[in-house]
Amino acid sequence: MDQNNYSSIPGFILLGFSDHPSLETVLSGVVTIFYLITLAGNTAIILTSLLDAHLHTPMYFFLRNLSFLDLCFTTSIVPQMLVNLWGPDKTISYVGCVIQLYVYMWLGSIECLLLAVMSYDRFTAICKPLHYLVIMSPRLCLRMIIIVWCISLACSLVLCTLTLNLPRCGSNVLNHFLCELPAMVKIACVDTTAVEMLVFALGIVFVLTPLFLILVSYGYIARAVLRMKSKAGQRKAMNTCGSHLTVVSIFYGTIIYMYLRPGNSASQDQGKFLTLFYTIITPSLNPLIYTLRNKDMKNALRKLMRVDYESTKGKRNWKS
């Protein structure tokens, strides 16, 4: 595609997978399916943990936040992506691109920090069970969430504002399916070394530092689990922590490979598929991972479905 053909178009052009028209049809179906799974699964987790009194604990408070975050994260990307996949129009307005850039960066940063907060919650629950509810008080949990959202917002405002202020010399073609920060930096017509170094530095703060804290937490958790005399206690601890560790491995593994590698060894298409994985696939897997490995969540879901079924059945009997 000739970039000069688009220089007069207001906004930006998202090339996405336009070089592979047959792939676009397949991807539109796959993305739609995973988006629906994300909506249904994360909504179920939020409603179940709110309606079941047994799940009014710090762990499920943070899980609700993660589910809400995943809903917002995917919704900021998928609708525009489906519009571009379904038709020949690959444009996105300037305002739409700016909003997507800020929101995407903000929510992605939140997830990095939130997973670290969730690991601290698991560390406290397993290593200090007698003081767990005292330490993880509702006030502290709320304060931690507010701090995570505010710090991530500040990071998004700084990085995205610097990126948008870079001169583009009329270039408006993004070789991606969303307005992502690295894609925006690439179309700048000036030296971007300073911005790239800042992105890398903040990447260490928001990715490697939380990951280090998570690994340290799980080191203490593993030691505490091995010291447990109860096999049932060990099994429960491994199930709850295993779910979180699985999510951490998928999310951080992809993020580190994408953004913290030396050089740019991945092809454009490989980068797009990796971004597709952690922005579309991972949020749909989180509900499955947390419910399939979590006995309390499975029981709460069954109870909720049974109550809903009995309520519907009662209404039908009353009408007849």
Side-chain angles (χ1 to χ4, degrees), residues 8-27:
S8 61
I9 296 175
F12 293 91
I13 310 297
L14 298 175
L15 294 183
F17 300 94
S18 55
D19 290 339
H20 310 283
S22 57
L23 182 62
E24 285 189 318
T25 306
V26 176
L27 279 177

Side-chain angles (χ1 to χ4, degrees), residues 122-167:
R122 292 298 81 212
F123 160 76
T124 309
I126 293 171
C127 298
K128 300 179 180 180
L130 298 179
H131 304 95
Y132 174 58
L133 293 178
V134 176
I135 297 172
M136 300 302 292
S137 64
R139 188 174 182 179
L140 176 63
C141 292
L142 181 60
R143 189 177 297 172
M144 290 169 78
I145 288 296
I146 291 172
I147 290 172
V148 164
W149 281 73
C150 290
I151 291 175
S152 301
L153 178 60
C155 173
S156 175
L157 290 173
V158 171
L159 285 181
C160 295
T161 302
L162 284 174
T163 303
L164 289 170
N165 285 332
L166 291 172

Side-chain angles (χ1 to χ4, degrees), residues 36-284:
L36 292 175
I37 293 172
T38 300
L39 292 178
N42 286 291
T43 302
I45 285 180
I46 292 171
L47 291 177
T48 304
S49 60
L50 282 173
L51 296 174
D52 194 309
H54 295 97
L55 302 183
H56 291 178
T57 63
M59 174 182 168
Y60 293 102
F61 171 74
F62 293 125
L63 184 55
R64 278 198 303 274
N65 273 271
L66 180 64
S67 294
F68 176 71
L69 179 64
D70 284 340
L71 286 174
C72 296
F73 195 48
T74 52
T75 302
S76 70
I77 300 164
V78 172
Q80 179 65 48
M81 182 183 180
L82 289 177
V83 169
N84 292 347
L85 285 173
W86 283 337
D89 184 15
K90 308 299 180 185
T91 61
I92 181 173
S93 67
Y94 179 82
V95 174
C97 187
V98 169
I99 292 173
Q100 188 179 74
L101 179 68
Y102 277 101
V103 171
Y104 178 81
M105 188 69 194
W106 182 25
L107 299 181
S109 301
I110 291 171
E111 184 146 1
C112 290
L113 299 180
L114 181 58
L115 290 173
V117 170
M118 292 174 74
S119 72
Y120 175 72
D121 171 68
R122 292 298 81 212
F123 160 76
T124 309
I126 293 171
C127 298
K128 300 179 180 180
L130 298 179
H131 304 95
Y132 174 58
L133 293 178
V134 176
I135 297 172
M136 300 302 292
S137 64
R139 188 174 182 179
L140 176 63
C141 292
L142 181 60
R143 189 177 297 172
M144 290 169 78
I145 288 296
I146 291 172
I147 290 172
V148 164
W149 281 73
C150 290
I151 291 175
S152 301
L153 178 60
C155 173
S156 175
L157 290 173
V158 171
L159 285 181
C160 295
T161 302
L162 284 174
T163 303
L164 289 170
N165 285 332
L166 291 172
R168 291 183 291 273
C169 303
S171 178
N172 64 346
V173 179
L174 299 175
N175 193 6
H176 218 303
F177 59 82
L178 55 84
C179 293
E180 191 187 31
L181 194 136
M184 296 289 288
V185 171
K186 282 181 181 178
I187 64 172
C189 58
V190 294
D191 182 23
T192 58
T193 304
V195 175
E196 290 175 10
M197 290 300 294
L198 181 60
V199 170
F200 187 79
L202 287 175
I204 292 175
V205 173
F206 279 84
V207 178
L208 295 186
T209 303
L211 181 59
F212 173 74
L213 295 175
I214 290 170
L215 294 176
V216 170
S217 297
Y218 274 99
Y220 282 106
I221 288 170
R223 188 175 67 175
V225 169
L226 291 174
R227 289 178 176 177
M228 288 181 181
K229 295 180 180 180
S230 169
K231 293 294 181 183
Q234 283 185 338
R235 198 158 44 244
K236 184 175 181 180
M238 290 176 67
N239 282 337
T240 55
C241 293
S243 301
H244 182 247
L245 204 53
T246 303
V247 172
V248 166
S249 301
I250 293 172
F251 182 79
Y252 277 101
T254 314
I255 291 289
I256 290 171
Y257 184 80
M258 276 290 296
Y259 296 110
L260 296 179
R261 289 173 297 114
N264 189 20
S265 57
S267 66
Q268 289 287 351
D269 284 344
Q270 186 182 7
K272 291 174 192 175
F273 279 112
L274 286 170
T275 305
L276 189 70
F277 182 81
Y278 79 82
T279 56
I280 310 296
I281 310 299
T282 303
S284 68

Side-chain angles (χ1 to χ4, degrees), residues 304-317:
L304 188 64
M305 292 172 68
R306 188 165 57 247
V307 169
D308 184 61
Y309 172 75
E310 290 175 355
S311 176
T312 305
K313 187 178 178 182
K315 288 180 181 178
R316 287 177 181 173
N317 291 336

